[in-house]
């Protein structure tokens, strides 16, 4: 009994020591780094600067250090003269003009018809994304909700153009949400509003020290208490030094942002869970398409994927990103010799091994990296030239022809589950291409999912993207709304709405809103369900909540205006509908509602102005034909 008490006491003591030192078991294998404990706080790079000022000063000039900041003249790399600062979206007939108003960067959207300006909307730019080496993109902030502006400055070509993904008819104007997935790689970790997808309490200004070293609270505490480690002889486990990580974890740290593809979060995980020393698949998995040919078209931030295709990477087994790159020093300021020395670590000096002609080598100053890491464009960002990290011999390794798509590869897990693979294919289908063959793959993996809840989630998602809304609702018959996650609940609710069953849609959409109360699209869908069901009071609450959060959410202005015009609030209805059209002059339903309002009030002159616009821009729409008949009957 006495021995039992001693052993038990020792176990409790060890447990307390482990807890107090900040060590926690996150996975099957503990990390030796104590700052991975979730209780260790982030301290900010200004605190790091107190002891590491040299690293701080050089890092803040790197692409990562300059990744995100307030929109100031100093931050902007753009040109604003008459010859450059104008972009025309010919698909939607909008002009965009960026300009400075005092110290504020503004973007004006306008339309000219028959020599007159028929539309003008001006937005203030809150943040500029990008170091200026390739681009400056622009963000607006509406009460904490962050959206991307529709134009970007491409610094290499010194020109303004539509933002990536907004060209060729896909202009989202000022409504492309900057979700956590985007923010978590382009910036230091923000403080998101819980229950939202793009609302933030605090937005940082640039990737910071703790993104690569982990939270610094424990390290600062120990140093402040003179608990020091001689790092020339041993590892300081109070904070991560990436150079001391195994090669695979070094690469995982860089891959979390430089392995761009289709990201699929693990159930219950967030993009802010990753800490240096983790494996990526502890939190999410990344998928990329594979082809049966060369297909060297690649995404801009896919340096890790390109590197992993290199013979150097495959055969050496010891290359990581920091083999060639010092993250504290800008690539532009890194001497060419630094990159070439990394090559010489494995290869003899070029005068011994290089098979290129002497004259060519001399012309290139024996620049190994300049020859074997070639410049290329990317499929997702126009007007840029980037380094293709697929290290290869030019010409010799480029003979393979273009191939066809053969499937998705999970880049972060050698043996992903069927559930994970099915999610990857669904995400790829929704994000990149609506190829029905992708859904055939989902069907295949669906058959191998064993957990009923996972199988149900994938089945509903599959039916939803196939727009088989009846099958969605049938699949949901076996469980209740409160048993669903936010997105499954939304899909079921939306399916009920597509089936015209608004009462049945409401409890599912209420569940989606419960999980994500600040997802304004979820709230709009619920408000629309209330409206179509005839619950005007609840619908009004939803639309008013949306407009309190984001007064530029034009769809809510239209629906609120519709309610007001049908409840006798004529002036309020007119103001709401005009506000909607000021934000989006092409919102057809709002213009039809406005015409109906004027016709009902026998305001013939105002009605004619709206009708003339509809006849000019939407002559073939059946709703327009119907409202014209009612106008003529006044």
């Amino acid at each position: 009994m006495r021995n039992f008490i001693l052993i038990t006491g020792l176990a409790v003591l060890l447990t307390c020591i482990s807890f107090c030192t900040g060590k926690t078991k996150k996975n099957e294998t503990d990390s030796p780094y104590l700052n991975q404990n979730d209780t260790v706080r982030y301290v900010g790079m200004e605190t790091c600067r107190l002891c590491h000022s040299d690293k701080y000063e050089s890092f803040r000039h790197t692409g990562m250090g300059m990744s995100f900041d307030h929109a100031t003249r100093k931050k902007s790399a753009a040109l604003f003269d008459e010859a450059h600062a104008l972009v025309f979206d010919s698909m939607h007939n909008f002009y965009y003009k960026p300009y400075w108003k005092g110290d504020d960067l503004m973007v004006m959207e306008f339309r000219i018809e028959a020599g007159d300006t028929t539309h003008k909307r001006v937005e203030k730019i809150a943040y500029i994304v990008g170091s200026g080496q390739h681009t400056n993109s622009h963000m607006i902030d509406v009460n904490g909700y962050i959206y991307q502006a529709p134009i970007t400055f491409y610094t290499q070509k010194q020109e303004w153009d539509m933002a990536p993904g907004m060209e060729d008819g896909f202009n989202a104007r000022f409504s492309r949400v900057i979700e956590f997935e985007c923010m978590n790689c382009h910036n230091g970790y923000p403080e998101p509003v819980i229950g939202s997808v793009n609302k933030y309490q605090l937005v940082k200004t640039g990737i910071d020290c703790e993104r690569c070293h982990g939270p610094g609270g424990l390290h600062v505490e120990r140093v402040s208490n003179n608990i020091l480690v001689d790092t020339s002889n041993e590892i300081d486990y109070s904070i991560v030094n990436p150079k001391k990580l195994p090669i695979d974890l070094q690469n995982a740290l860089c891959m979390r942002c430089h392995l761009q593809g289709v990201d699929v979060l693990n159930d219950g995980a967030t993009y802010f869970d990753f800490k240096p020393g983790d494996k990526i698949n502890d939190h999410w998995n990344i998928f990329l398409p594979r082809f049966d040919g060369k297909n060297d078209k690649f995404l801009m931030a896919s340096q890790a994927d390109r590197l992993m295709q290199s013979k150097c990477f495959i055969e050496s087994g010891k290359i990581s990103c920091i083999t060639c790159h010092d993250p504290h020093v800008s690539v532009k300021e890194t001497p060419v010799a630094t990159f070439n020395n990394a090559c010489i670590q494995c290869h003899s000096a070029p005068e011994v091994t290089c098979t290129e002609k002497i004259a060519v080598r001399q012309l290139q100053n024996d620049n190994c990296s300049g020859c074997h890491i070639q410049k290329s464009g990317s499929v997702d960002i126009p007007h840029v030239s980037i380094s293709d990290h697929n290290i290869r011999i030019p010409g010799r390794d480029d003979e393979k022809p273009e191939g066809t798509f053969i499937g998705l590869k999970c880049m972060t897990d050698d043996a992903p589950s069927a559930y994970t693979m099915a999610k990857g294919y669904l995400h790829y289908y929704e994000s990149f291409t609506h190829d029905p063959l992708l859904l055939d793959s989902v069907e295949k993996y669906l058959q191998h999912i064993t957990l009923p809840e996972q199988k149900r989630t994938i089945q509903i998602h599959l039916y939803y993207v196939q727009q088989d809304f009846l099958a969605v609702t049938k699949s949901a018959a076996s469980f209740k709304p409160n048993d669903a996650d936010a997105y499954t609940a939304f899909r079921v609710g939306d399916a009920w709405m597509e089936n015209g069953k608004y009462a049945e849609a409401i409890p599912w959409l209420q569940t989606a809103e419960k999980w994500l109360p600040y997802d304004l699209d979820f709230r709009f869908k619920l408000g629309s369900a209330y409206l179509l069901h005839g619950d005007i009071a609840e619908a009004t609450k939803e639309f008013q909540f949306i407009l309190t959060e984001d007064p530029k959410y034009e769809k809510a202005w239209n629906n609120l205006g519709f309610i007001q015009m049908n409840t006798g609030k004529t002036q309020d209805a007119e103001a709401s509908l005009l506000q909607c059209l000021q934000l989006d002059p092409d919102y057809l339903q709002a213009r039809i509602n406005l015409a109906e309002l004027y016709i009902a009030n026998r305001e013939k002159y105002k009605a004619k102005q709206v009708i003339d616009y509809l006849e000019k821009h939407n002559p073939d729409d059946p709703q327009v034909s119907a409202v014209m008949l009612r106008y003529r009957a006044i």
Side-chain angles (χ1 to χ4, degrees), residues 288-293 403-409 425 438 441 444:
L288 281 170
R290 285 294 179 255
F291 303 88
D292 61 1
T404 56
F405 174 77
I406 57 174
L408 288 182
K409 179 180 179 181
Y425 273 96
L438 295 169
S441 296
K444 179 187 75 174

Side-chain angles (χ1 to χ4, degrees), residues 265-405:
L265 281 169
N266 297 347
D267 290 345
T270 77
Y271 287 109
F272 305 124
D273 294 340
F274 181 94
K275 292 179 181 176
D278 286 354
K279 296 178 180 178
I280 293 175
N281 65 8
D282 290 339
H283 311 291
W284 65 84
N285 280 286
I286 304 172
F287 293 85
L288 281 170
R290 285 294 179 255
F291 303 88
D292 61 1
K294 181 178 64 176
N295 292 73
D296 277 340
K297 303 178 184 71
F298 54 91
L299 299 169
M300 183 169 176
S302 58
Q303 294 93 337
D305 175 45
R306 301 301 291 172
L307 178 64
M308 288 189 290
Q309 295 180 43
S310 304
K311 187 176 180 181
C312 290
F313 181 89
I314 295 167
E315 294 189 357
S316 75
K318 59 181 182 180
I319 291 180
S320 77
C321 302
I322 58 179
T323 300
C324 300
H325 292 281
D326 181 347
H328 301 107
V329 180
S330 169
V331 171
K332 294 185 294 184
E333 297 173 5
T334 301
V336 171
T338 299
F339 299 119
N340 292 340
N341 287 338
C343 302
I344 295 171
Q345 297 302 311
C346 294
H347 303 277
S348 299
E351 58 267 20
V352 177
T353 60
C354 186
T355 59
E356 184 56 89
K357 296 175 182 177
I358 295 293
V360 176
R361 282 174 37 205
Q362 289 177 342
L363 187 64
Q364 299 296 327
N365 295 317
D366 275 335
N367 181 1
C368 310
S369 60
C371 181
H372 295 281
I373 300 178
Q374 303 211 317
K375 295 293 184 180
S376 176
S378 73
V379 297
D380 57 328
I381 311 292
H383 311 309
V384 299
S385 175
I386 58 175
S387 295
D388 180 1
H389 284 65
N390 186 351
I391 307 166
R392 60 192 187 275
I393 299 173
R396 183 186 304 178
D397 296 335
D398 297 334
E399 297 172 357
K400 202 172 184 181
E402 295 284 308
T404 56
F405 174 77

Side-chain angles (χ1 to χ4, degrees), residues 520-555:
L520 301 185
D521 290 339
F522 280 12
R523 278 196 174 266
F524 180 78
K525 185 66 70 171
L526 176 58
S528 300
Y530 283 135
L531 176 59
L532 292 166
H533 183 53
D535 193 336
I536 302 303
E538 289 300 319
T540 301
K541 286 180 185 178
E542 292 297 325
F543 300 136
Q544 287 178 337
F545 178 90
I546 292 170
L547 294 172
T548 299
E549 289 289 303
D550 179 359
K552 298 179 181 182
Y553 196 101
E554 62 264 21
K555 293 185 294 184

Side-chain angles (χ1 to χ4, degrees), residues 50-98:
L50 297 174
C51 294
H52 304 283
S53 60
D54 57 334
K55 296 289 191 294
Y56 173 94
E57 290 299 332
S58 62
F59 177 77
R60 60 195 290 263
H61 296 292
T62 65
M64 289 188 290
M66 299 171 63
S67 62
F68 199 106
D69 207 342
H70 297 288
T72 63
R73 292 176 186 267
K74 181 179 179 181
K75 170 61 179 170
S76 178
L79 300 175
F80 293 91
D81 58 275
E82 292 285 336
H84 293 88
L86 189 67
V87 177
F88 180 54
D89 176 5
S90 60
M91 302 288 286
H92 294 90
N93 191 24
F94 286 124
Y95 286 93
Y96 294 96
K97 181 175 180 56

Side-chain angles (χ1 to χ4, degrees), residues 471-486:
V472 171
T473 55
K474 285 182 177 179
S475 296
S478 61
F479 67 106
K480 296 179 179 179
N482 286 336
D483 296 328
D485 64 87

